[in-house]
Amino acid sequence: MTLDRQHIAKIAKLIPRLASNHDGEVVATVRAIVRTLGNAGADLHDLVAELDKPAVERVVYRDRPAPRPGHHKAATPVPPLFRADALRLAGILLHDCDLSPKAAGFVAFVFRVARSGGDRVELTEKQMTWFLDLVQEHQLAPERAA
């Protein structure tokens, strides 16, 4: 018989009380543990069997594995986005389009980057794709070709 988490948690709270200097409290705690096991349809033998189980080993990868040779994605060139276009399109998206909170936050980020940068707005491939998808979704277009 395996014990469910609820009963194990209750027993885990009772076990420290077995260290009491008062015999009556220790006996009452043992009775409470036995009652809890009985409610779960188990007994002390089942509790010992649960404690005797080997620990489940879990592998947790903390570092990304090194890519295998020949299995890397070729970098796709990101088309440039001119500052004037980014400011105009981001402004329209923010003020005239119904964007989700996440999309609005992203477009506000693009607007800030465009406002503080040079002639071109530097975005990652994913950011550029998302921004251009929003522009296309709302049927906007840059005035100049890149």
Side-chain angles (χ1 to χ4, degrees):
M1 163 117 228
T2 58
L3 294 168
D4 63 359
R5 288 185 179 269
Q6 179 184 2
H7 289 99
I8 290 174
K10 187 167 185 175
I11 292 169
K13 289 179 183 177
L14 292 170
I15 288 177
R17 292 176 58 193
L18 294 173
S20 173
N21 292 332
H22 304 288
D23 293 340
E25 188 173 342
V26 172
V27 171
T29 301
V30 171
R31 294 288 181 211
I33 291 172
V34 170
R35 261 193 322 274
T36 302
L37 289 169
N39 290 338
D43 59 16
L44 288 171
H45 298 284
D46 296 319
L47 177 60
V48 171
E50 285 290 319
L51 294 173
D52 210 19
K53 282 184 180 177
V56 176
E57 184 176 325
R58 293 186 181 157
V59 177
V60 178
Y61 293 101
R62 301 214 186 274
D63 295 327
R64 189 176 296 236
R68 295 182 297 177
H71 287 85
H72 63 282
K73 232 169 61 169
T76 308
V78 178
L81 181 63
F82 291 101
R83 180 175 188 258
D85 289 337
L87 289 171
R88 183 180 67 81
L89 293 170
I92 293 170
L93 284 169
L94 285 172
H95 297 291
D96 299 338
C97 299
D98 187 27
L99 299 175
S100 70
K102 184 177 179 179
F106 170 68
V107 173
F109 162 77
V110 172
F111 188 81
R112 285 191 309 272
V113 169
R115 208 173 44 195
S116 67
D119 287 344
R120 295 179 182 212
V121 178
E122 299 292 329
L123 297 175
T124 66
E125 180 183 349
K126 280 181 151 180
Q127 290 171 332
M128 184 65 77
T129 301
W130 189 12
F131 186 71
L132 294 177
D133 285 348
L134 288 169
V135 167
Q136 185 177 12
E137 178 184 328
H138 294 283
Q139 300 173 348
L140 307 175
E143 290 177 349
R144 294 184 269 177

